[in-house]
Amino acid sequence: MDGRLTRHVIEGVRDFNTGQTFECGQCFRWRRGSDGGYTGIVRGCVANIYYDNEEDIITIWSDYMPHSETLRDAFWRDYLDLNRDYADIKRGLVAADPVMYDAIDAGAGIRILNQEPWETLISFLISQNSNIPRIRGCIEALCTAFGERIGTFEGRELHAFPTIQRLSSLKEEDLDICGLGYRAKYLAEAARQVNVDGGAFLATADKAEAGKVEDYLKSLSGVGPKVAHCVMLFALRRTDIFPIDVWMARVMSELYGIEESDHDAMRAYAQEHFSPWGGIAQQYLFNYIRGNGK
DNA sequence: TTCCAGGTACCCC
DNA sequence: GGGGTACATGGA
């Protein structure tokens, strides 16, 4: 696999930073390499992504090789959400709510990735009541055990995210090696539920009505409002969705004086000040409170 | 050792 | 329908 990667360059990219985008908490499998590049796997393809912030150039080395340059360009622009005018969004957020300035400044290069729904669902199901280092470990263990091996990169074995069919065939105890704790039961059951239609609804949920999507997600074992909202924001293009977890409750309390338990008031605040970019505002705030602003 | 973590299911009223 | 609690595990 090493040496078989194709190079793709995207020029003129502003409002972007690989470190902030890949380490702001929206994804769990991208890893920073010693040369500053980020290695990850998208749709079963390896990618190594660099950003030159002086020349505003993204360079992607990947084994994703559609037959045309145009398709390749569209694929990566979509995944990295480069077709959206973040400068305009950031201006709008600060104008509507000056308190947002520091949070946006700290994560000015964040973009909300358009991730794969199935992987995002399982990843955030695992994330509940856990911490990010451990979540990453659990997901890697899951991929190593049940995902297709797709090569090596810098001496590390790479595995695709396990398929719906694979995970839906597992028993709860098969997942013991992943250290999921009580979430193993949820994962096994949710996988079976998603596989009822082979994942068809989930795969096209970005085009379905938001209420139906949320109801569907919350009908899955181990999926409540928080996980459903993360899937909708990070994989189903619902940039208006405002997921609230302990960190968001903390930052909303600190910045706006809203009682930490009053999530309804937080959603109302987001609706009033951040719409229709509540999800993007949420990510600036989450990144800010967790101290990733450097 | 103890506390806490990108919550949810389940029980009780 | 709102409020309290158990839940498995490991990183800090």
Side-chain angles (χ1 to χ4, degrees):
Chain A
M1 129 93 35
D2 292 38
R4 291 208 189 170
L5 302 180
T6 299
R7 189 174 77 131
H8 182 73
V9 174
I10 303 175
E11 297 181 335
V13 179
R14 298 291 199 83
D15 308 293
F16 180 77
N17 178 282
T18 44
Q20 291 174 358
T21 294
F22 293 131
E23 296 187 38
C24 70
Q26 64 176 320
C27 54
F28 302 103
R29 296 200 71 198
W30 287 93
R31 284 199 193 178
R32 189 177 196 279
S34 54
D35 61 357
Y38 279 80
T39 303
I41 296 151
V42 184
R43 291 197 204 172
C45 298
V46 179
N48 198 22
I49 300 186
Y50 299 83
Y51 179 61
D52 180 337
N53 67 344
E54 304 212 334
E55 303 291 334
D56 301 333
I57 292 175
I58 293 176
T59 304
I60 302 164
W61 293 88
S62 175
D63 61 352
Y64 174 72
M65 288 184 286
H67 60 274
S68 82
E69 167 83 9
T70 305
L71 282 177
R72 190 187 311 160
D73 193 63
F75 175 82
W76 287 112
R77 283 182 186 274
D78 182 67
Y79 181 76
L80 298 170
D81 208 32
L82 302 180
N83 298 320
R84 206 187 293 280
D85 186 350
Y86 276 72
D88 190 51
I89 292 169
K90 289 186 281 188
R91 276 193 298 272
L93 287 171
V94 171
D97 179 14
V99 175
M100 281 291 292
Y101 181 87
D102 287 342
I104 290 175
D105 188 51
I110 291 173
R111 287 189 182 242
I112 302 295
L113 299 171
N114 292 121
Q115 301 182 66
E116 294 151 277
W118 166 246
E119 175 175 343
T120 307
L121 168 66
I122 297 303
S123 296
F124 279 93
L125 188 154
I126 289 171
S127 80
Q128 63 183 78
N129 205 28
S130 188
N131 56 72
I132 289 181
R134 184 178 169 217
I135 296 162
R136 293 169 71 101
C138 289
I139 292 171
E140 283 315 305
L142 188 70
C143 293
T144 300
F146 305 112
E148 184 188 355
R149 186 179 176 282
I150 55 176
T152 60
F153 189 83
E154 294 184 343
R156 187 163 66 98
E157 282 217 0
L158 299 176
H159 293 258
F161 195 85
T163 64
I164 296 171
Q165 290 71 26
R166 185 78 173 102
L167 292 191
S168 65
S169 73
L170 300 178
K171 300 193 188 82
E172 186 185 330
E173 52 265 34
D174 296 330
L175 292 163
D176 284 350
I177 48 174
C178 302
L180 300 176
Y182 68 91
R183 305 163 197 80
K185 185 178 179 182
Y186 295 158
L187 194 159
E189 178 58 22
R192 282 191 285 271
Q193 289 174 282
V194 171
N195 197 41
V196 164
D197 68 355
F201 181 85
L202 188 60
T204 57
D206 59 329
K207 296 175 180 65
E209 195 267 316
K212 285 185 180 173
V213 173
E214 183 166 348
D215 288 346
Y216 170 79
L217 291 170
K218 289 197 290 194
S219 76
L220 303 174
S221 174
V223 178
K226 160 63 172 59
V227 173
H229 289 165
C230 284
V231 175
M232 294 175 78
L233 172 60
F234 298 129
L236 301 176
R237 304 163 189 271
R238 310 283 171 168
T239 53
D240 52 332
I241 296 284
F242 192 75
I244 298 173
D245 65 350
V246 292
W247 294 98
M248 283 304 296
R250 208 166 285 164
V251 72
M252 293 296 280
S253 173
E254 281 187 23
L255 295 183
Y256 304 108
I258 301 173
E259 177 64 35
E260 283 197 28
S261 61
D262 195 352
H263 292 193
D264 286 341
M266 294 175 189
R267 273 185 286 273
Y269 188 93
Q271 178 63 32
E272 184 180 346
H273 295 84
F274 306 147
S275 183
W277 310 117
I280 296 174
Q282 178 272 161
Q283 206 57 35
Y284 292 131
L285 291 168
F286 181 83
N287 177 69
Y288 181 57
I289 193 66
R290 297 198 70 255
N292 290 339
K294 307 191 239 334

